[in-house]
Amino acid sequence: MTTSDLAAPAAGGRILHAVTETVSPDECERSVDRIGAIAAAEDLLAALGRDVDSPHLADTPRRFADALIEMLTPREFSPTTFPNDDGYDELVLVAGIPFHSLCEHHLLPFRGVAHLGYVPGDRLIGLSKLARFVEQFTRDLQVQERLTRRIADRLLEVLDPRGVGVVLEAEHLCMSLRGVQVEGTRTVTSTLVGVVRDDERIRGEFLARCGLRGSEG
Ligand SMILES: [Zn+2]
């Protein structure tokens, strides 16, 4: 069997992710074999010693597969920008955007809040669109560090701003429910670029408004 055979979806089970001009090449053309995922979920339950013929579990493989597919399917989104006619040159910050994603190591959720800021160049973006930026990347298998970077990179690409800051704070269920079982621990990751990184005043303001102290005093 070749790799392409393995990747070939079952008939009728193909869901091709919506592709918009805003989706980068690595996210395009990812296909989902829903029927295969349901069958695999049933196999997983059986392998875990569960009675898949029990009426209580009859519909569980389908629900499980559909929940995963939903959490891994980004919604279409085109980030409209508009000209910065008034020359606004201070920090624009949207703090506390709730998000959830799936860790690629355990397929367990991590959830928390995102803080996004930028110092505009020639373009501005609607504030509600900043929240959509986050969602665009959370519906994927992730590690938090890469998620942070990808959000920042897309903001840079779309807005060409003078600086960007992205901070994610999240609790990982793979840490709190299993393994070390540390409940309530939050992992904080950040990507600071341009004046948000290099200008002390702007960096300090950004971190303070995210509820974080600036580093090294
Ligand atoms: Zn994990």
Side-chain angles (χ1 to χ4, degrees):
M1 185 180 269
T2 66
T3 309
S4 61
D5 288 328
L6 283 168
R14 186 174 174 83
I15 300 170
L16 196 61
H17 284 211
V19 176
T20 69
E21 72 282 3
T22 62
V23 176
S24 55
D26 62 317
E27 296 154 63
C28 293
E29 301 292 322
R30 189 184 294 139
S31 66
V32 172
D33 173 5
R34 178 171 177 263
I35 304 300
I38 294 170
E42 187 172 332
D43 288 348
L44 176 64
L45 279 173
L48 292 171
R50 304 293 143 165
D51 176 10
V52 292
D53 296 323
S54 148
H56 303 294
L57 295 180
D59 213 20
T60 299
R62 181 196 60 76
R63 287 194 207 96
F64 179 63
D66 282 346
L68 280 177
I69 290 168
E70 182 182 330
M71 287 188 281
L72 295 176
T73 305
R75 290 191 293 181
E76 269 189 55
F77 165 58
S78 48
T80 1
T81 63
F82 48 95
N84 183 16
D85 286 336
D86 297 323
Y88 185 85
D89 61 357
E90 290 291 332
L91 183 66
V92 179
L93 178 87
V94 177
I97 302 165
F99 76 89
H100 59 83
S101 189
L102 284 175
C103 106
E104 68 184 7
H105 299 141
H106 302 93
L107 298 187
L108 287 171
F110 61 97
R111 58 188 301 177
V113 289
H115 315 296
L116 268 56
Y118 72 101
V119 177
D122 294 334
R123 309 294 296 175
L124 298 171
I125 188 166
L127 298 181
S128 67
K129 299 286 185 185
L130 286 177
R132 296 294 304 279
F133 258 100
V134 177
E135 195 203 76
Q136 185 74 15
F137 297 105
T138 53
R139 291 190 174 209
D140 201 352
L141 297 178
Q142 288 288 1
V143 294
Q144 188 176 325
E145 296 86 340
R146 185 171 70 237
L147 176 60
T148 312
R149 184 72 226 186
R150 287 175 81 194
I151 295 168
D153 284 348
R154 185 55 59 83
L155 281 169
L156 289 167
E157 187 184 316
V158 168
L159 282 174
D160 193 21
R162 293 175 51 228
V164 154
V166 177
V167 170
L168 302 186
E169 300 179 56
E171 177 176 6
H172 291 243
L173 293 193
C174 58
M175 273 180 75
S176 46
L177 301 185
R178 55 158 292 284
V180 289
Q181 298 199 350
V182 188
E183 278 212 46
T185 316
R186 296 177 82 71
T187 302
V188 181
T189 49
S190 62
T191 298
L192 309 184
V193 182
V195 293
V196 180
R197 183 192 60 202
D198 298 331
D199 183 305
E200 256 180 61
R201 179 185 66 82
I202 294 173
R203 185 179 68 223
E205 183 189 348
F206 174 73
L207 294 175
R209 286 166 70 184
C210 293
L212 304 168
R213 284 175 307 185
S215 58
E216 294 96 48

